[in-house]
Amino acid sequence: MLTKELITELKNNGNGDLGYLVDKQQDSGSIAFILENLGFLPKNFNGNFLIDLLKHEHHQIRLLAVKNIGKLGN
């Protein structure tokens, strides 16, 4: 089950677990929930998975990916 707490924990781990979680999701609603609840991204956050989401078929996922890419420090 996806929760804000799980997303925060995976985000702060900084080892790519969040990208793995996004890759495992089968529906756009779950991916959107994850992207909407990322919040502040730490400096060491690995956002490489966000680049792949720019090619997603749903426009909402692409928009949320762009918003989160803008939060990256690199």
Side-chain angles (χ1 to χ4, degrees):
M1 172 134 223
L2 291 175
T3 63
K4 291 180 183 183
E5 291 80 17
L6 174 64
I7 294 168
T8 301
E9 180 182 332
L10 293 175
K11 172 181 70 171
N12 291 329
N13 283 345
N15 58 4
D17 288 342
L18 193 58
Y20 179 72
L21 177 66
V22 169
D23 287 340
K24 289 189 340 182
Q25 300 308 309
Q26 300 296 321
D27 62 304
S28 298
S30 296
I31 296 172
F33 180 80
I34 294 168
L35 295 176
E36 288 171 346
N37 289 290
L38 278 181
F40 176 78
L41 300 178
K43 287 187 178 186
N44 65 343
F45 184 77
N46 182 0
N48 292 337
F49 72 95
L50 295 170
I51 304 300
D52 295 334
L53 292 177
L54 294 174
K55 299 175 187 170
H56 198 276
E57 61 185 3
H58 294 292
H59 71 285
Q60 181 183 17
I61 302 301
R62 293 191 304 266
L63 174 64
L64 291 168
V66 169
K67 284 183 174 182
N68 285 294
I69 289 170
K71 297 178 189 178
L72 295 174
N74 56 5

